[in-house]
Amino acid sequence: MIYAVWVPLLMPFVAVPAARRLADALSPVRAVRLLASTGIGLALCSLLALALLVVPGATRFSAVSAFGELVRPLSDAAPAAAVPLAAAALALLAGCAAAVTRTARRHWAELHRSAHPSECTGGELAVLRDSRPDAYALPGRPGTPGRIVVTTGMLRALDPAERDALLAHERAHLAGHHHLFIAAAEVAALCHPALRSLRAPMGYALERCADEAAASAVGDRRVAARAIGRAALAARAAEGAAQLRPRVALAAAAGPVPRRVAALLGRSAPRPRVGRVAAAALLACLVVSGAAALDATSDLHSSIEAAQGENPQH
């Protein structure tokens, strides 16, 4: 276990360079799925590794040893290092739990405050009377549908065809439950610092998914590209517009808009070969991390059985 347990903690640093290439190299839908599964998988493996590091040091205490019915210390637990290492791992686990809880409570509070924007129409579309251009998809609380929030300033900034493309973009965010993928990336980032670098490619890939859905809905990729570009320019020209938007919301004017517009206009096509290599590298990192975590778990289980005086063969 002493060697295998460190692999899940180090593997996210290896996975990040491949993840950065994935969003541009693969189709948006495939990139989102692979980034989400890799991020959550690597985060879970790293949490399991921390938990495994806690056990040898914890069994040095008589209460824990008696609870586990150990007749001797674990064979691979060095007294000088086991307890400090276990304390550090436990502190990291507690920090992760606290950070995830704090973030979940903050997001829930934002959803509660934004569930019924004032001065707006009802239904799926909420129109805010505000001269600052902005538009975003607001996910609903459990059991309630999400809403598209757009300001009168944004509606005035676009022509009718561009408005249709913008609304189709935000509708795609709601229909695809894209906020769940953002939440997955956020949780993974809170569990391991290296996984913070997955948030940018995940956000870009989600916006690309919505861009493609908008282009398909209006039947014109140029109109969709123009709508996104003009919406971004209008929102950025209006100082303080982004302050209207809750952090849990997804907006068409967010992210690297020039890259998205170029992709819609066919100026930056997916690179299948690069995408396959990056995807293979991410999957390899996930498999190696999972295998190492399982190997460390098996080794620890064998050590506990031996410390209990049992024969691992039975």
Side-chain angles (χ1 to χ4, degrees):
M1 186 187 86
I2 192 64
Y3 300 111
V5 74
W6 296 104
V7 173
L9 298 174
L10 298 175
M11 198 54 61
F13 294 100
V14 180
V16 164
R20 290 172 179 163
R21 295 178 174 271
L22 199 68
D24 279 322
L26 285 183
S27 66
V29 174
R30 291 181 62 191
V32 164
R33 292 174 179 171
L34 188 53
L35 286 169
S37 58
T38 301
I40 290 298
L42 291 176
L44 290 175
C45 289
S46 65
L47 292 178
L48 177 57
L50 289 175
L52 294 175
L53 288 172
V54 171
V55 177
T59 57
R60 290 288 169 180
F61 295 94
S62 57
V64 177
S65 181
F67 179 80
E69 300 179 349
L70 304 182
V71 297
R72 60 178 180 270
L74 297 184
S75 59
D76 60 349
V83 174
L85 188 59
L90 184 60
L92 289 173
L93 285 172
C96 291
V100 170
T101 301
R102 185 168 55 250
T103 300
R105 293 180 62 181
R106 186 186 71 231
H107 284 192
W108 180 266
E110 287 183 353
L111 284 177
H112 183 74
R113 287 195 302 268
S114 307
H116 302 287
S118 59
E119 300 181 6
C120 64
T121 61
E124 179 196 43
L125 178 62
V127 180
L128 292 176
R129 294 185 179 89
D130 196 301
S131 60
R132 294 172 294 181
D134 201 11
Y136 52 88
L138 186 66
R141 292 176 294 173
T144 61
R147 308 180 81 179
I148 299 170
V149 181
V150 61
T151 66
T152 52
M154 180 62 81
L155 293 177
R156 286 194 294 267
L158 305 178
D159 64 34
E162 292 166 353
R163 291 175 201 158
D164 290 341
L166 180 70
L167 296 179
H169 175 102
E170 305 300 350
R171 192 172 293 115
H173 280 317
L174 295 178
H177 302 287
H178 290 173
H179 62 286
L180 297 179
F181 292 98
I182 289 292
E186 183 70 19
V187 169
L190 293 173
C191 293
H192 196 291
L195 296 177
R196 294 173 187 171
S197 297
L198 294 183
R199 290 183 292 192
M202 173 67 80
Y204 172 74
L206 288 172
E207 292 301 333
R208 286 284 299 117
C209 286
D211 291 345
E212 292 296 330
S216 177
V218 299
D220 191 329
R221 299 181 69 84
R222 295 186 65 84
V223 169
R226 191 170 68 244
I228 292 164
R230 291 186 65 181
L233 288 174
R236 291 173 185 177
E239 184 178 355
Q243 295 176 1
L244 297 171
R245 193 185 310 150
R247 280 175 290 188
V248 295
L250 290 158
V257 173
R259 283 170 60 196
R260 292 165 50 200
V261 170
L264 276 173
L265 296 178
R267 297 171 186 166
S268 108
R271 295 166 290 171
R273 184 174 180 180
V274 175
R276 286 194 295 268
V277 173
L282 281 183
L283 290 175
C285 289
L286 186 57
V287 169
V288 170
S289 183
L294 290 177
D295 183 53
T297 303
S298 176
D299 286 350
L300 179 62
H301 182 264
S302 299
S303 298
I304 291 174
E305 285 188 333
Q308 290 172 333
E310 299 178 7
N311 187 347
Q313 304 278 341
H314 298 285

